[in-house]
Amino acid sequence: MENLAKKYNPKDFEDRIYKMWEENGYFKAEANKDKEPFTIVLPPPNITGQLHMGHALDHILQDILIRWKRMDGYEALWLPGTDHASIATEVKVVKKLRREGIEKEQIGREKFLEKAWEWKDEYGGRITDQMKKLGNSCDWSRERFTMDEGCSKAVNDVFVKLYEEGLIYRGNRIINWCPDCLTSLSDIEVEHEDKDGNYYYVKYHFVDNKDEYLTIATTRPETIFGDTAIAVHPDDERYQKYIGKKVIVPLVGREIEIIADEYPDMEKGTGALKITPSHDPNDFAIGKRHNLEEISCIDEKGVMNTYAGNYKGMDRYECRKAFVQDLKSNNLIVKIEKNNHSVGTCYRCNTVIEPRISDQWFVKMQPLAGPAIKAVKDSKTKFVPERFDKIYFHWLENIRDWCISRQLWWGHRIPAYYCQDCGETIVAKKPPEKCTKCGSENLNQDEDVLDTWFSSALWPFSTLGWPEETKDLEYFYPTNVLVTGYDIIFFWVVRMMFSGLEHMNEVPFKHVLIHGLVRDAQGNKMSKSLGNGVDPLEVIDEYGADALRFMLITGLTPGNDTRYQVDKLEASRNFANKLWNASRFVLMNLKEDEELTPNIKTLKNEDKWILSRMSKVIEEVNKNLENFDLGLALHKVYDFIWNEYCDWYIELVKPRLYGENEEDKQNSLYVLVNIMKDMLKLLHPFMPFITEEIWQNLPGNEEPLITSQWPKVNIENKYPKSVEEINFAMEIIKSIRNIKAEMDVKPSKTIKGYFIPKNKKYKEHLKSIERHLNNLINLEEMTILENKDIIDEDTASAVIDGLEIYLPLSELIDFEKEKERLKKEKEKLESEIKRAEGKLKNKSFVEKAPVKIVEEEREKLKKYKDMNAKVLSRIKQINS
Ligand SMILES: [Zn+2]
Ligand SMILES: [Zn+2]
């Protein structure tokens, strides 16, 4: 039988196999009372996204778990979908329109949304197509979108429910504002970077004594137009006498009061703070405490408004320059100090954010955070590794109300309606026809949309049919594992947790498996700006998806970063080749349609050894998978296939396959095929394509591998004695191979040997493995002795546990020939040494050649000297 292609070439079969799986519905899952469910919801990638290495790692981890559980008898559902990515998509569509010379305001909301849907139809499916290349076994018939009908209904229902419970409110609050994207941002959408800046020490003269002044340090003098107070600490002795007095806002001329508040840090700056409630969140809070006026002097685009007087119309930074210049010329600046400080920037466009007071919608977080903290404390949901619960707790314990409105058009429009006649606000699942208060039909819907995370927070249950009480929801919820990177624990995991608890009364998942980033070979973060990103699709094109999966999982431990490494890809290809060739070897020895008829009673020790080992490996792989230690599980499977099956077992049984004993032949084929089937199963979740392709070519497989049964630990396959014997044989073979290599003897050279076993047990072992020593190291004659007294020849020796081995040198080498060979070797090495020494003595070479070349020459010389020393000791040994 020889149906498997001669060469392993993943391109020949990966796409074909994926199609076969998908067309036959093997990825599909249904509520099934006879089985236990195992559910994973895919973190929905943005429709603007292209598959990158981070997704690849994230998805492969999920696919491994799903494939394993599917084979292990669970109703395994991996539910896929995409996220509408409100701000990211809107930015893309706006840019596209701009290239066509259109501004979104020109065409209006409805037309813009049409364009956005067109964009989604064209590009939104890109990432899901790419995902299929990885081998992702998602149930595509259930694919969802955060803005599809069901998810949108869930969003509206949640909004109305939380509003009615008083957990959603509208308020005039200070928020993070991006003057370029023209939208509010939540705290986590703001990134912080250190920027060069200055501390400007500005004079605020007293109203009642114009010769004296207070010095106030500020990093943002352009906000002075919005100052409405000066705050000092009530315990600050320097300033106590001024509390209640008034100062003049420099160049503006407005009078403001000096107030006492606990907030100012007496050690920082001058200890006195200018308070600008409209442009700083801390000042905003102080303003609320003291009922201060809120003066906003910068508009939504970052441009100065009428409050800035002469500076009106200037960009905020332009104004800063001009205003400082004018302060200087009016002798209102004491000094300017350089200082680096952290500024918030927009995570989308990197523009420095501008705190801004506006009307926004908020979710009250305090009541929702409590149950979410408790659920993890009670281990209802566990983080893997556990240490990540700290990030989770820290975030929830310090949470502020969540600003959920965004000044965008692409997204879920807020279901709030304002009566134009009486001012009533109506929040409703469906657009109301009349004002509930005055009956007016003159209603306008809120212009804003919801934060993208508002809908993805509902993902684990909205995708299963919520708010309907569906069978799916009952069966598949709560899900089992959420797989995600540590960077979105607070963005997303936290929000799914409190949403699940609030709306389903149950945690959304039992485990959160956290993984790290995929870094480049040097350990740097992959990024567009560094240009060091590696496209997973290119890797798949060159090496195949199995190789990419192998590379990303090998050596991976939960929670830690991993690296993209070409040598691991090469290793993976070597491994695939090895497995491929071993399979071809087995297949070539099978006859077409041959029913194997083994006799279990006459299995040999190597058969029993590999059966025992297989059982043990299944046990270990199960344990590692249960612990989410996927990297370790893969390592066990890899090690077994490469070392034990390919390198040992096949070699140990070869003579029987070519021998005359038919029963023996049947037995070895039976074991070869059955172990191969089990190891293909164990490897399948990690390398699904190659394993399925080989499986399809093995005889007697009616079912595809993907739905075959996960191997069971077989307690009958425990043969400790055979395991001991084969281990013993392997140790002997390895040490004799070593001796042959050291002596430059061909591995195939036949030899004789004296063996001194420690006791009767090892003596027995020797007899039962003699066959293997004959076959694998050409041991022609085995002499078992009590002690070494009667060995009078020159020998090479080795000691292993339970045994001393002596090989007569006369058997290993032909003395005359060897002397001749060593002589030649010595001459060659000596001439090389002379040449290298000459070169290194040459001053002009050492001084002028590149350091690297000189270094190489030194290393060469050292190597030749070492080799020569070995040759000399061999010559001495032979002559003695
Ligand atoms: Zn922005
Ligand atoms: Zn009304």
Side-chain angles (χ1 to χ4, degrees), residues 45-68:
N46 289 351
I47 50 167
T48 53
Q50 300 248 44
L51 194 80
H52 57 61
M53 278 295 171
H55 296 123
L57 173 63
D58 191 68
H59 294 182
I60 291 164
L61 290 169
Q62 296 172 62
D63 197 43
I64 291 169
L65 295 172
I66 281 287
R67 284 180 186 270
W68 162 48

PDB file of all heavy atoms in Angstrom, residues 45-68:
ATOM      1  N   PRO A  45     -12.466  39.148  16.184  1.00  0.00           N
ATOM      2  CA  PRO A  45     -11.508  40.106  15.631  1.00  0.00           C
ATOM      3  C   PRO A  45     -12.238  41.266  14.975  1.00  0.00           C
ATOM      4  O   PRO A  45     -13.376  41.113  14.517  1.00  0.00           O
ATOM      5  CB  PRO A  45     -10.726  39.296  14.601  1.00  0.00           C
ATOM      6  CG  PRO A  45     -11.557  38.111  14.284  1.00  0.00           C
ATOM      7  CD  PRO A  45     -12.472  37.872  15.445  1.00  0.00           C
ATOM      8  N   ASN A  46     -11.598  42.424  14.927  1.00  0.00           N
ATOM      9  CA  ASN A  46     -12.187  43.587  14.273  1.00  0.00           C
ATOM     10  C   ASN A  46     -12.333  43.346  12.776  1.00  0.00           C
ATOM     11  O   ASN A  46     -11.445  42.755  12.164  1.00  0.00           O
ATOM     12  CB  ASN A  46     -11.277  44.811  14.450  1.00  0.00           C
ATOM     13  CG  ASN A  46     -11.298  45.303  15.879  1.00  0.00           C
ATOM     14  OD1 ASN A  46     -12.097  44.846  16.689  1.00  0.00           O
ATOM     15  ND2 ASN A  46     -10.411  46.235  16.189  1.00  0.00           N
ATOM     16  N   ILE A  47     -13.414  43.856  12.208  1.00  0.00           N
ATOM     17  CA  ILE A  47     -13.577  43.693  10.753  1.00  0.00           C
ATOM     18  C   ILE A  47     -12.510  44.474   9.993  1.00  0.00           C
ATOM     19  O   ILE A  47     -12.275  44.224   8.822  1.00  0.00           O
ATOM     20  CB  ILE A  47     -14.980  44.129  10.258  1.00  0.00           C
ATOM     21  CG1 ILE A  47     -15.337  45.522  10.797  1.00  0.00           C
ATOM     22  CG2 ILE A  47     -16.017  43.096  10.636  1.00  0.00           C
ATOM     23  CD1 ILE A  47     -16.533  46.129  10.124  1.00  0.00           C
ATOM     24  N   THR A  48     -11.867  45.403  10.669  1.00  0.00           N
ATOM     25  CA  THR A  48     -10.805  46.154   9.992  1.00  0.00           C
ATOM     26  C   THR A  48      -9.502  45.376  10.007  1.00  0.00           C
ATOM     27  O   THR A  48      -8.527  45.768   9.392  1.00  0.00           O
ATOM     28  CB  THR A  48     -10.520  47.473  10.734  1.00  0.00           C
ATOM     29  OG1 THR A  48     -10.276  47.151  12.108  1.00  0.00           O
ATOM     30  CG2 THR A  48     -11.663  48.426  10.627  1.00  0.00           C
ATOM     31  N   GLY A  49      -9.486  44.258  10.734  1.00  0.00           N
ATOM     32  CA  GLY A  49      -8.220  43.578  10.989  1.00  0.00           C
ATOM     33  C   GLY A  49      -7.750  42.689   9.861  1.00  0.00           C
ATOM     34  O   GLY A  49      -8.504  42.293   8.980  1.00  0.00           O
ATOM     35  N   GLN A  50      -6.461  42.422   9.890  1.00  0.00           N
ATOM     36  CA  GLN A  50      -5.854  41.406   9.056  1.00  0.00           C
ATOM     37  C   GLN A  50      -5.212  40.449  10.041  1.00  0.00           C
ATOM     38  O   GLN A  50      -4.687  40.866  11.054  1.00  0.00           O
ATOM     39  CB  GLN A  50      -4.746  42.008   8.213  1.00  0.00           C
ATOM     40  CG  GLN A  50      -5.215  43.095   7.305  1.00  0.00           C
ATOM     41  CD  GLN A  50      -5.125  42.660   5.863  1.00  0.00           C
ATOM     42  OE1 GLN A  50      -5.508  41.541   5.523  1.00  0.00           O
ATOM     43  NE2 GLN A  50      -4.614  43.510   5.024  1.00  0.00           N
ATOM     44  N   LEU A  51      -5.229  39.181   9.683  1.00  0.00           N
ATOM     45  CA  LEU A  51      -4.687  38.182  10.588  1.00  0.00           C
ATOM     46  C   LEU A  51      -3.219  38.455  10.887  1.00  0.00           C
ATOM     47  O   LEU A  51      -2.403  38.555   9.975  1.00  0.00           O
ATOM     48  CB  LEU A  51      -4.826  36.804   9.948  1.00  0.00           C
ATOM     49  CG  LEU A  51      -4.616  35.625  10.872  1.00  0.00           C
ATOM     50  CD1 LEU A  51      -5.882  35.375  11.684  1.00  0.00           C
ATOM     51  CD2 LEU A  51      -4.261  34.392  10.076  1.00  0.00           C
ATOM     52  N   HIS A  52      -2.867  38.604  12.188  1.00  0.00           N
ATOM     53  CA  HIS A  52      -1.454  38.756  12.528  1.00  0.00           C
ATOM     54  C   HIS A  52      -1.049  37.639  13.486  1.00  0.00           C
ATOM     55  O   HIS A  52      -1.867  36.806  13.872  1.00  0.00           O
ATOM     56  CB  HIS A  52      -1.168  40.145  13.088  1.00  0.00           C
ATOM     57  CG  HIS A  52      -1.972  40.508  14.300  1.00  0.00           C
ATOM     58  ND1 HIS A  52      -1.909  39.810  15.472  1.00  0.00           N
ATOM     59  CD2 HIS A  52      -2.870  41.505  14.499  1.00  0.00           C
ATOM     60  CE1 HIS A  52      -2.717  40.348  16.358  1.00  0.00           C
ATOM     61  NE2 HIS A  52      -3.332  41.374  15.796  1.00  0.00           N
ATOM     62  N   MET A  53       0.217  37.632  13.856  1.00  0.00           N
ATOM     63  CA  MET A  53       0.744  36.538  14.672  1.00  0.00           C
ATOM     64  C   MET A  53       0.013  36.404  16.010  1.00  0.00           C
ATOM     65  O   MET A  53      -0.129  35.312  16.539  1.00  0.00           O
ATOM     66  CB  MET A  53       2.233  36.745  14.931  1.00  0.00           C
ATOM     67  CG  MET A  53       3.100  36.277  13.802  1.00  0.00           C
ATOM     68  SD  MET A  53       3.000  34.484  13.576  1.00  0.00           S
ATOM     69  CE  MET A  53       3.896  34.347  12.034  1.00  0.00           C
ATOM     70  N   GLY A  54      -0.422  37.546  16.552  1.00  0.00           N
ATOM     71  CA  GLY A  54      -1.153  37.503  17.818  1.00  0.00           C
ATOM     72  C   GLY A  54      -2.440  36.713  17.681  1.00  0.00           C
ATOM     73  O   GLY A  54      -2.761  35.860  18.521  1.00  0.00           O
ATOM     74  N   HIS A  55      -3.200  36.977  16.601  1.00  0.00           N
ATOM     75  CA  HIS A  55      -4.417  36.186  16.364  1.00  0.00           C
ATOM     76  C   HIS A  55      -4.055  34.715  16.204  1.00  0.00           C
ATOM     77  O   HIS A  55      -4.718  33.833  16.733  1.00  0.00           O
ATOM     78  CB  HIS A  55      -5.097  36.568  15.043  1.00  0.00           C
ATOM     79  CG  HIS A  55      -5.618  37.957  14.979  1.00  0.00           C
ATOM     80  ND1 HIS A  55      -5.221  38.840  14.006  1.00  0.00           N
ATOM     81  CD2 HIS A  55      -6.526  38.619  15.738  1.00  0.00           C
ATOM     82  CE1 HIS A  55      -5.865  39.984  14.162  1.00  0.00           C
ATOM     83  NE2 HIS A  55      -6.652  39.881  15.206  1.00  0.00           N
ATOM     84  N   ALA A  56      -2.990  34.489  15.412  1.00  0.00           N
ATOM     85  CA  ALA A  56      -2.626  33.107  15.099  1.00  0.00           C
ATOM     86  C   ALA A  56      -2.424  32.326  16.400  1.00  0.00           C
ATOM     87  O   ALA A  56      -3.001  31.254  16.580  1.00  0.00           O
ATOM     88  CB  ALA A  56      -1.374  33.066  14.229  1.00  0.00           C
ATOM     89  N   LEU A  57      -1.664  32.886  17.309  1.00  0.00           N
ATOM     90  CA  LEU A  57      -1.417  32.198  18.581  1.00  0.00           C
ATOM     91  C   LEU A  57      -2.728  31.987  19.345  1.00  0.00           C
ATOM     92  O   LEU A  57      -3.037  30.893  19.809  1.00  0.00           O
ATOM     93  CB  LEU A  57      -0.434  33.008  19.443  1.00  0.00           C
ATOM     94  CG  LEU A  57      -0.218  32.481  20.859  1.00  0.00           C
ATOM     95  CD1 LEU A  57       0.409  31.097  20.828  1.00  0.00           C
ATOM     96  CD2 LEU A  57       0.655  33.426  21.678  1.00  0.00           C
ATOM     97  N   ASP A  58      -3.507  33.042  19.444  1.00  0.00           N
ATOM     98  CA  ASP A  58      -4.772  33.017  20.164  1.00  0.00           C
ATOM     99  C   ASP A  58      -5.692  31.923  19.594  1.00  0.00           C
ATOM    100  O   ASP A  58      -6.286  31.136  20.330  1.00  0.00           O
ATOM    101  CB  ASP A  58      -5.409  34.405  20.011  1.00  0.00           C
ATOM    102  CG  ASP A  58      -6.583  34.616  20.924  1.00  0.00           C
ATOM    103  OD1 ASP A  58      -6.350  34.674  22.140  1.00  0.00           O
ATOM    104  OD2 ASP A  58      -7.729  34.722  20.438  1.00  0.00           O
ATOM    105  N   HIS A  59      -5.769  31.878  18.281  1.00  0.00           N
ATOM    106  CA  HIS A  59      -6.684  30.940  17.632  1.00  0.00           C
ATOM    107  C   HIS A  59      -6.198  29.501  17.736  1.00  0.00           C
ATOM    108  O   HIS A  59      -6.984  28.578  17.931  1.00  0.00           O
ATOM    109  CB  HIS A  59      -6.865  31.305  16.160  1.00  0.00           C
ATOM    110  CG  HIS A  59      -7.564  32.623  15.993  1.00  0.00           C
ATOM    111  ND1 HIS A  59      -7.870  33.143  14.765  1.00  0.00           N
ATOM    112  CD2 HIS A  59      -8.014  33.507  16.907  1.00  0.00           C
ATOM    113  CE1 HIS A  59      -8.477  34.313  14.933  1.00  0.00           C
ATOM    114  NE2 HIS A  59      -8.565  34.554  16.220  1.00  0.00           N
ATOM    115  N   ILE A  60      -4.887  29.328  17.595  1.00  0.00           N
ATOM    116  CA  ILE A  60      -4.355  27.966  17.643  1.00  0.00           C
ATOM    117  C   ILE A  60      -4.610  27.347  19.022  1.00  0.00           C
ATOM    118  O   ILE A  60      -4.988  26.187  19.129  1.00  0.00           O
ATOM    119  CB  ILE A  60      -2.851  27.975  17.268  1.00  0.00           C
ATOM    120  CG1 ILE A  60      -2.706  28.312  15.785  1.00  0.00           C
ATOM    121  CG2 ILE A  60      -2.211  26.625  17.573  1.00  0.00           C
ATOM    122  CD1 ILE A  60      -1.305  28.725  15.370  1.00  0.00           C
ATOM    123  N   LEU A  61      -4.421  28.140  20.059  1.00  0.00           N
ATOM    124  CA  LEU A  61      -4.687  27.629  21.410  1.00  0.00           C
ATOM    125  C   LEU A  61      -6.135  27.154  21.531  1.00  0.00           C
ATOM    126  O   LEU A  61      -6.419  26.092  22.078  1.00  0.00           O
ATOM    127  CB  LEU A  61      -4.416  28.725  22.454  1.00  0.00           C
ATOM    128  CG  LEU A  61      -2.944  29.102  22.652  1.00  0.00           C
ATOM    129  CD1 LEU A  61      -2.822  30.355  23.502  1.00  0.00           C
ATOM    130  CD2 LEU A  61      -2.176  27.959  23.311  1.00  0.00           C
ATOM    131  N   GLN A  62      -7.062  27.946  20.987  1.00  0.00           N
ATOM    132  CA  GLN A  62      -8.469  27.576  21.067  1.00  0.00           C
ATOM    133  C   GLN A  62      -8.748  26.334  20.240  1.00  0.00           C
ATOM    134  O   GLN A  62      -9.493  25.443  20.645  1.00  0.00           O
ATOM    135  CB  GLN A  62      -9.339  28.742  20.587  1.00  0.00           C
ATOM    136  CG  GLN A  62      -9.196  29.955  21.483  1.00  0.00           C
ATOM    137  CD  GLN A  62      -9.899  31.181  20.933  1.00  0.00           C
ATOM    138  OE1 GLN A  62     -11.112  31.188  20.760  1.00  0.00           O
ATOM    139  NE2 GLN A  62      -9.148  32.225  20.639  1.00  0.00           N
ATOM    140  N   ASP A  63      -8.133  26.281  19.061  1.00  0.00           N
ATOM    141  CA  ASP A  63      -8.379  25.144  18.181  1.00  0.00           C
ATOM    142  C   ASP A  63      -7.866  23.846  18.802  1.00  0.00           C
ATOM    143  O   ASP A  63      -8.496  22.792  18.676  1.00  0.00           O
ATOM    144  CB  ASP A  63      -7.730  25.394  16.814  1.00  0.00           C
ATOM    145  CG  ASP A  63      -8.291  24.450  15.750  1.00  0.00           C
ATOM    146  OD1 ASP A  63      -9.527  24.257  15.722  1.00  0.00           O
ATOM    147  OD2 ASP A  63      -7.496  23.887  14.967  1.00  0.00           O
ATOM    148  N   ILE A  64      -6.739  23.927  19.479  1.00  0.00           N
ATOM    149  CA  ILE A  64      -6.189  22.730  20.130  1.00  0.00           C
ATOM    150  C   ILE A  64      -7.188  22.209  21.175  1.00  0.00           C
ATOM    151  O   ILE A  64      -7.510  21.029  21.211  1.00  0.00           O
ATOM    152  CB  ILE A  64      -4.827  23.045  20.791  1.00  0.00           C
ATOM    153  CG1 ILE A  64      -3.766  23.303  19.721  1.00  0.00           C
ATOM    154  CG2 ILE A  64      -4.395  21.896  21.705  1.00  0.00           C
ATOM    155  CD1 ILE A  64      -2.460  23.876  20.257  1.00  0.00           C
ATOM    156  N   LEU A  65      -7.690  23.134  22.006  1.00  0.00           N
ATOM    157  CA  LEU A  65      -8.631  22.714  23.053  1.00  0.00           C
ATOM    158  C   LEU A  65      -9.906  22.140  22.450  1.00  0.00           C
ATOM    159  O   LEU A  65     -10.420  21.112  22.903  1.00  0.00           O
ATOM    160  CB  LEU A  65      -8.964  23.911  23.959  1.00  0.00           C
ATOM    161  CG  LEU A  65      -7.791  24.469  24.777  1.00  0.00           C
ATOM    162  CD1 LEU A  65      -8.195  25.765  25.481  1.00  0.00           C
ATOM    163  CD2 LEU A  65      -7.319  23.446  25.812  1.00  0.00           C
ATOM    164  N   ILE A  66     -10.411  22.802  21.412  1.00  0.00           N
ATOM    165  CA  ILE A  66     -11.663  22.362  20.797  1.00  0.00           C
ATOM    166  C   ILE A  66     -11.498  20.997  20.129  1.00  0.00           C
ATOM    167  O   ILE A  66     -12.323  20.100  20.301  1.00  0.00           O
ATOM    168  CB  ILE A  66     -12.148  23.421  19.768  1.00  0.00           C
ATOM    169  CG1 ILE A  66     -12.826  24.576  20.505  1.00  0.00           C
ATOM    170  CG2 ILE A  66     -13.074  22.818  18.731  1.00  0.00           C
ATOM    171  CD1 ILE A  66     -14.197  24.283  21.070  1.00  0.00           C
ATOM    172  N   ARG A  67     -10.416  20.817  19.394  1.00  0.00           N
ATOM    173  CA  ARG A  67     -10.213  19.529  18.705  1.00  0.00           C
ATOM    174  C   ARG A  67     -10.031  18.394  19.708  1.00  0.00           C
ATOM    175  O   ARG A  67     -10.544  17.297  19.527  1.00  0.00           O
ATOM    176  CB  ARG A  67      -8.993  19.618  17.772  1.00  0.00           C
ATOM    177  CG  ARG A  67      -9.288  20.388  16.499  1.00  0.00           C
ATOM    178  CD  ARG A  67      -8.061  20.471  15.594  1.00  0.00           C
ATOM    179  NE  ARG A  67      -8.308  21.324  14.453  1.00  0.00           N
ATOM    180  CZ  ARG A  67      -8.812  20.881  13.289  1.00  0.00           C
ATOM    181  NH1 ARG A  67      -9.065  19.606  13.110  1.00  0.00           N
ATOM    182  NH2 ARG A  67      -9.029  21.734  12.300  1.00  0.00           N
ATOM    183  N   TRP A  68      -9.303  18.690  20.763  1.00  0.00           N
ATOM    184  CA  TRP A  68      -9.097  17.676  21.807  1.00  0.00           C
ATOM    185  C   TRP A  68     -10.436  17.271  22.423  1.00  0.00           C
ATOM    186  O   TRP A  68     -10.767  16.086  22.511  1.00  0.00           O
ATOM    187  CB  TRP A  68      -8.135  18.238  22.860  1.00  0.00           C
ATOM    188  CG  TRP A  68      -8.135  17.533  24.170  1.00  0.00           C
ATOM    189  CD1 TRP A  68      -8.052  16.182  24.362  1.00  0.00           C
ATOM    190  CD2 TRP A  68      -8.232  18.121  25.469  1.00  0.00           C
ATOM    191  NE1 TRP A  68      -8.078  15.897  25.708  1.00  0.00           N
ATOM    192  CE2 TRP A  68      -8.188  17.073  26.410  1.00  0.00           C
ATOM    193  CE3 TRP A  68      -8.323  19.435  25.932  1.00  0.00           C
ATOM    194  CZ2 TRP A  68      -8.252  17.302  27.791  1.00  0.00           C
ATOM    195  CZ3 TRP A  68      -8.378  19.660  27.301  1.00  0.00           C
ATOM    196  CH2 TRP A  68      -8.351  18.609  28.207  1.00  0.00           C
TER     197      TRP A  68
END
